[in-house]
Amino acid sequence: MTLAMISLSRDYRMIDDRLFDWFSTTAAPVPVNSPVIIVAIDESSFRELERQWPWPREIHGALIESLARAGAAVIALDILFAEPTNPESDRFLADAIEKAPPVVLAADETLEETPHVTQIIRTDPLDLLLAAGAVPGVAAVTLNRDGILRALPLRPDGFAVTALNLWLTASRKPSVKLPAIPTGSPYYLQFVGPARSYPTVSYYQALVPEEFLPPGIFKNRVVLVGKAVKASPETRAGETDAFATPYTRSAGTVMAGVEVQATIFDNLRLGLFIRPAPGFMVLAALAVFVVLLGLVLHPWRPRSATITMIALIVVMTAASFLLLRYGRAWISPSLFVLAALMIYVGAGGTAFVAEQAARRHIRLAFSRYLAPALVDQLAADRSRLVLGGEIRDMTLMFCDVRGFTALSERFAEDPQGLVHVMNRLFSALTAVILKHGGTVDKFIGDCIMAFWNAPLEVSDHAARACAAALDMIAAVSRLNDEFAAEPAPAGNPAPKLDVGIGINTGPCVVGNIGAEQRFDYSVLGDPVNLASRLEGQSKTYGTRIVVGPETAAAAADMAFLELDLIAVKGKTRAMHVFALMGGPELRRGEAFSRLQERHNRLLGCFRKQEWAAARTALAACRELAPDQGRLHDLYSRRIDHYEIHPPEEGWAGVYVADTK
């Protein structure tokens, strides 16, 4: 508790930030083959052009024309063109943009707070410039509490993100995947050096590169244009579009905003950004560290304890640095070092308390983590309180909440409301699983993992899992109706929940799995991973419940439609996957029989490469099942593709998934 309180103090956070600055600037990585070059609006350019800011837009248009002639791949101006000026000047700039390679113009967002409302005001470039083809990118950044820029802007329409996406497209590099914008809070920027670490030329030089610069300097480059006038660390934020960075204290300079954008560009391109470990993870690791250290120092021996302390401080500091450098994650060693010192002072008593707490935790863990039926079995047979398990044929289920990120954003100002919604959802889904004889293994974020046929054996476990999945969909619908009928908080409409479910059957190891200090009754095996992959594919096919072939065969009374012959991500062997459409009543109905016959005909023609017949069958399927539009659109796109690009000889209709 003392360490947790210290970790929340302002002084500790300042020390932690200083440590991060030191570690992240020591032997910083150098971007490999960076395409970025900066055109600086610097003192030399003001002197050569003999103009006061803002410059006429003809000058910026001339720069764009010059860079386009020089072969630039993307031109990104960290300049806000929000207000109209002279119509001829604006038109000249728009014409230059229209004829140039992709152009990014800075947009801005500001937080406006009044006694009555707090709102974000976005300022975009002129509509005239956007109509000419310019792409807006928000260049705003957020400073840490000490005025240092460390945070990576987490937005898909950011200035550097937009430039990166346009560069990848312009470079025609299909092997390079667009970087996923990290979500969560927060990510740190990896600065690659102090100010002027990137190749930089003056604005006036870029206007006539053939006179001032080497040939081909802009060829296939991403050219970032922005202010880069000299400023001291005492310059107030925003005066010169310059920011203090982790290098400011050692180098004595601030960094221009345009170079910050270059840093963001390469952080995303190369995955250099750093994620600080969440506080709960640090505290959990710290708790384990404290317990283990107490055990190491018991019984107390001054000489060995001193050697151990020094070694631990060196190891923790080195591990933190190596994790940052090679793992792109930040766990500050400060709390660990402080914890080691505190334990060093009171090792005997601390070690004893920690050991006793660990034993109590083991004794209490079973009622907290194991199913009630298993607790009863363990109470009757204490010999089962060991690691290990047995192999059983089991049915696994993964149920994931769709659109959880968007739901979380809606409740950003009301986290307790989000917890309330998720608890009600999980309670409803858990009740359905238990009703059908399933065991809830764990909650993984917004996902539920459950299984059937353990600890109690049931012969129809696949059918039970399928029936549970159908009832879970119905339970979500009823819960949505309840939310809609309840009075919603002001400005936060009733949530509309949806789930995707993956079910698979196969042999697994089930039993007490974990460490000697803590273990859970859980399940391991390849069928578990496959069930998770099937849940992920429910988004691909636009259906809520996707099951594997063994499940479909074992629950033959259910209404299934074959979705595809697929090799899921991480697997080389293809398998047939199915959509669970309903129960036995639906399966026996005439309407479903017609749909199943047309759907099977579609798959047969598709796999035989009879594209015209497949289109005919697809049209019939659309009429019989209009709610399966996403699945039908998927096959329509595949047919279009294969008509133009026929598959290789021996193709059997296998789709290789590239996402989980």
Side-chain angles (χ1 to χ4, degrees), residues 31-36 160 164 192 198 261-273:
V32 178
N33 299 324
S34 177
V36 173
L164 175 59
V192 301
Y198 278 87
Q261 298 299 330
T263 303
I264 298 171
F265 182 100
D266 274 335
N267 269 239
L268 293 172
R269 181 177 70 93
L270 300 173
L272 297 178
F273 47 81

Side-chain angles (χ1 to χ4, degrees), residues 49 51 55-64 92 203 207:
L49 297 180
R51 297 274 190 170
W55 292 341
R57 290 178 180 170
E58 290 93 343
I59 296 179
H60 299 303
L63 175 69
I64 291 174
F92 186 90
Y203 191 104
L207 283 172

Side-chain angles (χ1 to χ4, degrees), residues 433-446:
I433 292 171
L434 297 179
K435 171 187 171 184
H436 288 274
T439 298
V440 176
D441 187 325
K442 58 178 69 73
F443 297 95
I444 312 169
D446 60 325

Side-chain angles (χ1 to χ4, degrees), residues 345-568:
V345 173
T350 303
F352 176 79
V353 171
E355 183 178 355
Q356 295 304 309
R359 291 178 180 177
R360 288 195 299 271
H361 175 76
I362 292 175
R363 289 193 296 269
L364 296 175
F366 301 110
S367 61
R368 182 178 178 183
Y369 295 108
L370 300 184
L374 183 59
V375 172
D376 294 339
Q377 293 182 19
L378 294 176
D381 183 8
R382 295 175 59 86
S383 64
R384 300 192 63 180
L385 298 179
V386 295
L387 298 182
E390 58 181 319
I391 297 178
R392 284 194 190 180
D393 192 61
M394 303 182 63
T395 297
L396 302 312
M397 171 191 286
F398 282 81
C399 175
D400 187 69
V401 179
R402 292 284 176 264
F404 181 73
T405 300
L407 180 66
S408 301
E409 291 177 353
R410 287 178 51 189
F411 283 90
E413 303 298 328
D414 183 19
Q416 292 183 340
L418 176 63
V419 172
H420 174 71
V421 169
M422 296 304 297
N423 284 344
R424 287 181 63 179
L425 174 64
F426 285 155
S427 296
L429 298 180
T430 299
V432 173
I433 292 171
L434 297 179
K435 171 187 171 184
H436 288 274
T439 298
V440 176
D441 187 325
K442 58 178 69 73
F443 297 95
I444 312 169
D446 60 325
C447 176
I448 300 178
M449 177 184 171
F451 53 79
W452 277 259
N453 204 33
L456 304 178
E457 294 189 38
V458 289
S459 58
D460 58 342
H461 49 88
R464 288 181 181 232
C466 291
L470 294 172
D471 284 354
M472 290 166 72
I473 299 300
V476 173
S477 178
R478 290 193 298 271
L479 186 59
N480 283 330
D481 292 340
E482 293 176 14
F483 284 136
E486 295 171 0
N492 201 5
K496 186 72 172 179
L497 302 176
D498 198 7
V499 297
I501 299 174
I503 304 175
N504 189 45
T505 300
C508 302
V509 176
V510 62
N512 297 323
I513 300 172
E516 292 181 357
Q517 294 85 354
R518 171 179 171 180
F519 50 87
D520 296 334
Y521 190 78
S522 188
V523 60
L524 292 175
D526 187 66
V528 180
N529 301 329
L530 186 53
S532 175
R533 297 291 192 270
L534 293 177
E535 179 277 317
Q537 291 302 318
S538 65
K539 293 176 283 188
T540 301
Y541 298 103
T543 186
R544 289 188 173 90
I545 309 171
V546 178
V547 305
E550 289 80 9
T551 305
D557 286 342
M558 295 291 178
F560 294 104
L561 277 183
E562 183 180 352
L563 291 171
D564 210 345
L565 180 60
I566 182 175
V568 299

